Amino acid sequence: MTPSGNWRKSSYSGEGDGDACVEIANSPTHIAIRDTKTPAGATLTFPATSFTPFIEALKSDQPKQG
């Protein structure tokens, strides 16, 4: 998948311009993720059906804040 030009900030990045910003690019079959601070760097590409389980795994691995 070559996402050329259709990158957008992920809603999973949180509010504002924090340090945890990622961008995503969608195609009919894949989703790519990159670090907003280094857009020319590496990207992760997932089959579209694997993206939600990936995000859920990241959420479950986060320490509880409270």
Side-chain angles (χ1 to χ4, degrees):
M1 178 185 122
T2 306
S4 79
N6 66 350
W7 291 99
R8 64 181 175 78
K9 183 178 173 186
S10 171
S11 61
Y12 293 103
S13 293
E15 305 263 335
D17 294 329
D19 293 335
C21 294
V22 296
E23 295 175 326
I24 63 171
N26 297 35
S27 81
T29 60
H30 288 83
I31 297 175
I33 305 170
R34 70 180 182 188
D35 186 336
T36 300
K37 295 178 298 297
T38 55
T43 62
L44 297 174
T45 304
F46 298 89
T49 57
S50 298
F51 185 69
T52 299
F54 170 73
I55 294 299
E56 293 301 321
L58 290 177
K59 287 180 184 179
S60 69
D61 199 31
Q62 295 295 314
K64 301 285 184 207
Q65 295 183 8

